[in-house]
């Protein structure tokens, strides 16, 4: 477990540097003592230092980021300017070559290096369409039970934090030979469907290993602009820069047709999945500049092209799931999402009722339709919050072995599919590597050939699924913690009285006995705002709507809460009311800092006009870069002063191995279905 060290700490822990985060090992805990006995393991970093806090997140989630070993790297192919990697003649004979016949391209976030999926669409000679999903052939380079395979299995996933990632595979694969970059030859595993030219009904499907050369590496925003008919974005697409006008126009028309046709197909595919849920969580992106400094904290905005790519991936995952289950009914790795318990939807139903909406939760289709209809034309955030509540009411999807449960339990509730798996991201998910091996074995079985793949038994696969599910929870938790860390670093040490950016509009999405839960759209922050303080005073809002603390009491109703002072003044806060909140950071002696929200007005925050808002947004980005970078540099300089002391102490200790009690407790907490908002004491 990690602790923060201060003067006069518990005598059971060995002496270590003060004001640092450290790892300790609990050795025993006497039943007659309130303190456990333990020993110091190692220093992680200074409290408040970015790298030290990130190291703490990794330790708390049992994430290993040690460099890949020499033995693992020796298994890797070579790709250098002196010795470039090439497609082998043997593979050319065995694979279907798509390099001259298919327009293949990728659509990913800006700056993405691990491109593990590409798409293609073309018209066949018979007039029908062919849709292709082409996935990096990682299993060609990662042999079963090799040193690298064992390491990838242990890591189970790539860990994405707010400002960095820790790869499941070495960069020679994840960012190079298994990354389907533009203009280079790559091995892929493809699923290609022949579709009716008008109805888009699937006529036939083909699975197999291919060779591709991606023509374009598009980012989401560029693809959306092309879809919307804004062709000025072409200047931002590198593949168009060196073309003459005639070639440029021809290739642009070809690409625009492909993106548009993919979107049409995706719309049709989604419409066929009756009951598929469109759910929304609050996901915040840390925007970085070229030097990897933080530019801004931005809630991710959905685009239609996101859905286009997602639908193609879902289609591939669904068809691969069917294929491997048909071939190996008792040892296929699938992904299930069980229906939620109806009682978990009670808060969602009550909140929607407060706005005059009825949410029917009897099935995934009725829930999806109800959420689609629950739109407030005057406040689109209401629908976002309702979808977020629906997400929180559900359990997580899990990997499982098909031999461990009955077929009726295979269903994926959220996607409205009878069978589903993960096939499309083998660079960053070990589950997909297993699925690729199963698919290759299924293809060999169809051809009456002996399989080269060593498949897991049902028992071993079930154990592996438990491990991968555990690591996925750790990945989700660490990503959430890192985002909260950057939110706190941004707001820390700001003067809340004078800093306008610390004041924001918030919307109430839940009522508790002593306060409300508030969502701040600008920063994607959710948190508690108390209506009664530690002194027992309640909030009061005068004629100017400004808040102050006075003696009084609170009365909670189903969809509102009323604060009444002893002088007879009262103010009521309703679900989905917009209020003005002050954002600050609550420092903690023993835990991570947390965001603190304080209601300063029961009226919405009046934002400046559009022009001033954009100017403020630019100022925000500039200041964030300066302030966070400055704080990190100052912490690093301060750390250098005591670096010798730390090194001397560190040399005396070594990290113990094995599962810690802290890790076990973290896993138990991850399994809890309680709303995280409860941790705020509301």
């Amino acid at each position: 477990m990690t602790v923060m060290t201060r003067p006069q700490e518990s005598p059971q822990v060995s002496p270590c540097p003060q004001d640092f985060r450290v790892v300790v090992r609990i050795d025993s805990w006497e039943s007659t003592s309130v303190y456990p006995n333990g020993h110091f393991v190692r220093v992680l970093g200074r409290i408040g230092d970015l790298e030290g806090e990130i190291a703490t997140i990794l330790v708390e989630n049992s994430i290993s980021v040690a460099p890949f070993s020499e033995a693992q790297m020796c298994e890797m192919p070579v790709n250098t300017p002196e010795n470039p990697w090439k497609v082998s003649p043997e593979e050319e004979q065995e694979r279907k070559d798509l390099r001259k016949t298919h327009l293949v391209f990728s659509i990913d976030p800006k700056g993405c290096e691990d491109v593990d999926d590409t798409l293609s669409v073309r018209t066949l000679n018979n007039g029908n369409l062919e849709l292709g999903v082409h996935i990096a052939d990682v299993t060609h380079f990662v042999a079963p039970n090799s040193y690298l395979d064992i390491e990838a299995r242990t890591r189970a996933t790539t860990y994405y934090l707010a400002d960095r990632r820790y790869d499941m595979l070495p960069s020679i694969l994840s960012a190079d030979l298994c990354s389907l970059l533009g203009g280079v030859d790559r091995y892929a595993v493809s699923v290609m469907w022949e579709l009716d030219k008008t109805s888009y009904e699937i006529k036939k499907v083909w699975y197999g290993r291919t060779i591709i050369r991606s023509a374009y590496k598009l980012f989401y925003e560029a693809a959306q602009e092309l879809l919307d008919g804004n062709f000025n974005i072409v200047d931002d697409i590198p593949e168009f820069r060196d073309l003459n006008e005639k070639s440029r126009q021809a290739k642009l028309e070809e690409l625009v047709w492909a993106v548009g046709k993919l979107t049409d197909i995706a719309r049709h595919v989604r419409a066929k999945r009756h009951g598929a849920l469109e759910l929304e969580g609050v996901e915040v992106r840390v925007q970085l500049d070229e030097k990897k400094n933080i530019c801004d904290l931005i809630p991710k905005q959905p685009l239609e092209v996101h859905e286009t790519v997602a639908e193609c991936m879902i289609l591939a995952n669904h068809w691969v799931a069917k294929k491997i289950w048909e071939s190996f009914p008792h040892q296929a790795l699938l992904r299930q999402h069980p229906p939620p318990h109806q009682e978990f939807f009670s808060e969602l139903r009550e909140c929607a009722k407060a706005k005059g909406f009825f949410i029917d939760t009897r099935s995934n289709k009725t829930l999806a339709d109800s959420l689609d209809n629950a739109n407030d034309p005057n406040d689109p955030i209401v629908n976002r919050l309702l979808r977020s509540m629906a997400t929180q009411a559900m359990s997580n999807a899990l990997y499982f072995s098909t031999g461990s449960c009955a077929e009726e339990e295979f269903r994926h509730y959220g996607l409205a599919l009878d069978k589903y798996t993960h096939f499309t991201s083998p660079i960053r998910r070990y589950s997909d590597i297993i699925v690729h091996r199963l698919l290759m074995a299924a293809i060999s079985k169809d051809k009456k050939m002996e399989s080269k793949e060593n498949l897991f038994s049902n028992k071993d696969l079930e154990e592996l699924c438990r491990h991968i599910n555990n690591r996925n929870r750790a990945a989700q938790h660490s990503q959430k913690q890192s985002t909260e860390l950057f939110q706190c670093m941004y707001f820390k040490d700001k003067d809340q009285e004078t800093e306008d950016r610390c004041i924001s509009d918030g919307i109430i999405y839940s009522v508790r006995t002593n306060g409300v839960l508030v969502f701040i759209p600008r920063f994607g922050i959710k948190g508690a705002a108390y209506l009664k303080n530690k002194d027992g005073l309640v909030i009061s809002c005068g004629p100017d709507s400004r808040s102050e603390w006075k003696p009084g009491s609170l009365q909670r109703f189903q969809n509102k809460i009323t604060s009444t002072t002893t002088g007879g003044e009262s103010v009521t806060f309703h679900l989905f009311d917009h209020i003005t909140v002050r954002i600050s950071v609550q420092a903690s002696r023993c835990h991570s800092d947390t965001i603190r929200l304080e209601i300063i007005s029961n009226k919405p925050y009046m934002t400046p006009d559009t022009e001033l808002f954009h100017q403020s947004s630019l100022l925000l980005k500039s200041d964030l870069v300066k302030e966070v970078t400055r704080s990190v540099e100052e912490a690093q300089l301060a750390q250098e002063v005591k670096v010798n002391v730390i090194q001397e102490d560190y040399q005396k200790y070594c990290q113990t191995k094995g599962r810690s009690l802290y890790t076990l407790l973290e896993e138990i907490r991850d399994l809890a279905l309680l709303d995280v908002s409860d941790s705020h004491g509301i």
Side-chain angles (χ1 to χ4, degrees):
M1 65 179 290
T2 57
V3 298
M4 298 198 304
T5 60
R6 301 285 191 190
Q8 299 178 346
E9 285 290 343
S10 171
Q12 285 96 329
V13 178
S14 303
C16 54
Q18 296 177 3
D19 298 320
F20 284 83
R21 291 200 183 277
V22 302
V23 178
V24 300
R25 174 99 176 171
I26 295 177
D27 299 318
S28 63
W29 199 330
E30 299 295 334
S31 60
T32 56
S33 173
V34 295
Y35 297 110
N37 298 300
H39 66 272
F40 168 81
V41 177
R42 63 186 173 98
V43 174
L44 293 175
R46 180 179 291 275
I47 295 170
D49 173 70
L50 176 61
E51 295 306 317
E53 297 295 341
I54 291 292
T56 301
I57 291 173
L58 297 177
V59 168
E60 288 181 343
N61 291 283
S62 302
I63 297 173
S64 171
V65 294
F68 291 97
S69 70
E70 184 177 351
Q72 292 158 4
M73 296 305 296
C74 284
E75 297 174 341
M76 293 296 91
V78 175
N79 188 27
T80 63
E82 301 79 22
N83 187 15
W85 178 86
K86 296 178 182 178
V87 171
S88 73
E90 295 80 14
E91 292 297 326
E92 281 187 316
Q93 292 295 319
E94 293 185 9
R95 294 173 181 264
K96 181 176 284 192
D97 195 338
L98 310 182
R99 289 174 289 184
K100 296 180 180 179
T101 57
H102 291 63
L103 175 66
V104 177
F105 56 93
S106 62
I107 306 176
D108 287 288
K110 259 185 180 177
C112 179
E113 295 177 357
D114 51 346
V115 181
D116 44 19
D117 59 81
T118 54
L119 299 163
S120 68
V121 62
R122 65 171 184 157
T123 303
L124 299 174
N125 293 332
N126 62 5
N128 285 339
L129 296 170
E130 182 190 73
L131 170 65
V133 172
H134 315 282
I135 307 301
D137 190 359
V138 172
T139 57
H140 172 80
F141 299 99
V142 181
N145 296 318
S146 62
Y147 290 118
L148 184 58
D149 184 53
I150 294 170
E151 177 64 23
R153 190 187 311 163
T154 302
R155 299 189 182 201
T157 183
T158 290
Y159 298 91
Y160 291 91
L161 303 190
D163 67 328
R164 67 193 73 188
R165 75 171 191 264
Y166 296 101
D167 292 326
M168 183 183 77
L169 297 172
S171 60
I172 181 63
L173 295 184
S174 63
D176 191 1
L177 295 181
C178 287
S179 188
L180 307 181
L181 306 171
V184 293
D185 295 342
R186 290 290 181 261
Y187 294 151
V189 178
S190 301
V191 184
M192 294 189 286
W193 302 265
E194 182 179 335
L195 310 175
D196 183 89
K197 59 185 175 183
T198 54
S199 67
Y200 299 148
E201 294 298 321
I202 295 173
K203 299 291 186 181
K204 62 176 72 171
V205 61
W206 179 89
Y207 308 89
R209 282 185 151 135
T210 56
I211 304 173
I212 66 168
R213 182 183 298 146
S214 178
Y216 303 100
K217 182 177 181 289
L218 300 177
F219 54 95
Y220 281 118
E221 292 78 8
Q224 186 64 47
E225 292 292 332
L226 293 176
L227 187 61
D228 295 339
N230 180 10
F231 302 143
N232 293 329
I233 196 68
V234 169
D235 295 333
D236 294 334
I237 302 175
E239 291 85 355
F240 282 99
R241 288 176 186 164
D242 297 329
L243 298 176
N244 60 49
E245 188 59 34
K246 186 177 180 180
S247 298
R248 182 184 175 113
Q249 188 60 34
K251 288 185 176 295
L252 176 59
E253 290 176 1
E254 182 184 39
L255 180 60
V256 169
W257 177 87
V259 173
K261 187 57 68 176
L262 277 175
T263 303
D264 285 342
I265 294 171
R267 290 169 184 158
H268 173 82
V269 170
R270 179 171 180 80
K272 289 194 68 177
R273 289 193 295 115
H274 301 296
L277 295 170
E278 182 181 337
L279 300 177
E280 183 166 344
V282 181
E283 189 175 4
V284 178
R285 173 169 56 89
V286 176
Q287 190 176 63
L288 305 175
D289 61 18
E290 293 178 355
K291 297 181 179 179
K292 301 296 183 182
N293 290 322
I294 308 161
C295 294
D296 206 352
L297 300 174
I298 305 172
K300 293 186 179 178
Q301 300 300 321
L303 302 171
E304 184 176 16
V305 74
H306 287 148
E307 293 186 7
T308 298
V309 175
E311 283 301 329
C312 292
M313 298 304 116
I314 290 169
L315 185 67
N317 288 333
H318 173 53
W319 278 81
V320 169
K322 292 198 297 182
K323 180 65 177 176
I324 62 175
W325 174 75
E326 288 167 358
S327 298
F328 307 105
H330 302 296
Q331 56 190 120
L333 187 152
L334 300 188
R335 190 162 173 82
Q336 63 184 171
H337 185 214
H341 296 289
Q342 286 299 308
E343 58 266 27
F344 294 164
F345 284 126
S346 57
E347 185 175 11
L348 169 65
R349 288 192 293 262
E350 291 303 324
C351 288
K353 187 178 178 182
K355 292 293 287 185
F357 301 126
F358 171 70
I359 302 296
D360 188 344
T361 61
R362 289 176 298 173
S363 70
N364 51 1
K365 185 180 187 309
T366 59
L367 176 58
D369 292 342
S370 298
L371 289 172
D372 288 342
N373 294 328
N375 275 305
D376 184 344
N378 299 318
D379 193 355
I381 296 175
V382 170
N383 190 262
R384 285 181 61 189
L385 284 171
L386 291 175
R387 292 183 187 276
S388 179
M389 290 178 193
T391 305
Q392 293 176 1
M394 297 180 190
S395 56
N396 290 327
L398 298 171
Y399 298 109
F400 71 102
S401 172
T402 52
S404 64
C405 59
E407 186 178 347
E408 54 267 22
E409 298 176 23
F410 290 5
R411 287 194 61 84
H412 196 293
Y413 176 85
L415 296 176
L417 292 171
D418 59 341
K419 294 176 184 68
Y420 190 70
T421 192
H422 274 164
F423 157 77
T424 54
S425 295
I427 290 178
R428 58 187 179 89
R429 294 189 301 231
Y430 191 76
S431 57
D432 300 50
I433 289 180
I434 297 298
V435 169
H436 275 234
R437 289 173 180 159
L438 283 162
L439 180 60
M440 291 303 104
I443 294 171
S444 297
K445 189 176 181 181
D446 289 347
K447 295 178 179 179
K448 303 291 192 293
M449 295 170 55
E450 185 178 348
S451 175
K452 300 177 183 178
E453 309 297 337
N454 297 319
L455 303 182
F456 285 95
S457 67
N458 173 58
K459 182 179 179 181
D460 291 340
L461 184 58
E462 189 61 20
E463 183 64 31
L464 177 60
C465 287
R466 277 194 288 269
H467 167 69
I468 296 175
N469 290 332
N470 175 270
R471 291 295 81 213
N472 281 347
R473 283 192 292 269
Q476 293 167 1
H477 194 215
S478 60
Q479 186 175 42
K480 179 175 180 288
Q481 285 180 297
S482 67
T483 299
E484 292 171 348
L485 168 64
F486 277 92
Q487 289 172 339
C488 288
M489 290 184 71
Y490 173 64
F491 288 106
K492 195 172 185 178
D493 299 327
K494 285 185 170 60
D495 187 342
Q496 295 90 39
E497 302 298 327
T498 59
E499 290 276 3
D500 289 340
R501 73 198 74 178
C502 292
I503 309 298
S504 187
D505 186 64
I507 181 170
I508 297 171
Y509 70 91
S510 188
V511 176
R512 296 292 192 262
T513 55
N514 60 338
V516 293
L517 300 182
V518 180
F519 171 56
I520 302 176
R522 171 64 186 89
F523 297 105
I525 292 173
K526 282 184 174 181
Y530 293 97
L531 302 185
K532 178 182 284 189
N533 65 15
K534 293 180 180 179
D535 298 324
L537 304 178
V538 299
I539 198 167
S540 172
C541 295
D544 61 352
S545 301
R546 307 300 289 180
S547 66
E548 55 182 320
W549 298 103
K550 293 182 179 181
S553 60
L554 298 177
Q555 187 173 10
R556 178 189 174 186
F557 301 92
Q558 194 167 42
N559 299 317
K560 62 183 180 180
I561 185 169
T562 299
S563 173
T564 306
T565 67
T566 53
E569 303 167 342
S570 69
V571 58
T572 300
F573 296 89
H574 298 81
L575 275 176
F576 301 113
D577 277 355
H578 283 256
I579 56 176
T580 302
V581 296
R582 178 182 289 119
I583 307 169
S584 60
V585 175
Q586 180 72 50
S588 171
R589 182 172 179 270
C590 301
H591 303 286
S592 301
D593 294 343
T594 55
I595 292 291
R596 178 172 176 265
L597 304 180
E598 180 185 358
I599 299 173
I600 60 174
S601 171
N602 63 339
K603 300 297 183 184
Y605 178 60
M606 303 305 295
T607 57
D609 61 39
T610 305
E611 182 179 354
L612 289 176
F613 178 79
H614 286 308
Q615 291 177 357
S616 173
S617 180
L618 291 173
L619 178 66
L620 177 74
K621 294 179 182 180
S622 173
D623 285 354
L624 201 152
V625 172
K626 293 176 184 177
E627 292 177 20
V628 175
T629 303
R630 172 181 54 79
S631 65
V632 170
E633 289 174 350
E634 287 179 355
Q636 289 172 341
L637 288 173
Q639 191 170 358
E640 289 174 3
V641 175
K642 295 185 178 180
V643 69
N644 292 332
V645 177
I646 299 172
Q647 289 175 345
E648 289 172 7
D649 284 337
Y650 183 75
Q651 289 172 359
K652 296 179 183 178
Y653 306 98
C654 62
Q655 185 177 7
T656 54
K657 296 183 179 180
R659 289 169 56 80
S660 67
L661 175 62
Y662 186 84
T663 302
L664 178 61
L665 294 175
E666 281 294 299
E667 291 177 8
I668 293 172
R669 189 177 74 173
D670 285 343
L671 291 172
L673 295 176
L674 298 176
D675 188 336
V676 293
S677 307
D678 291 343
S679 62
H680 294 288
I682 287 185

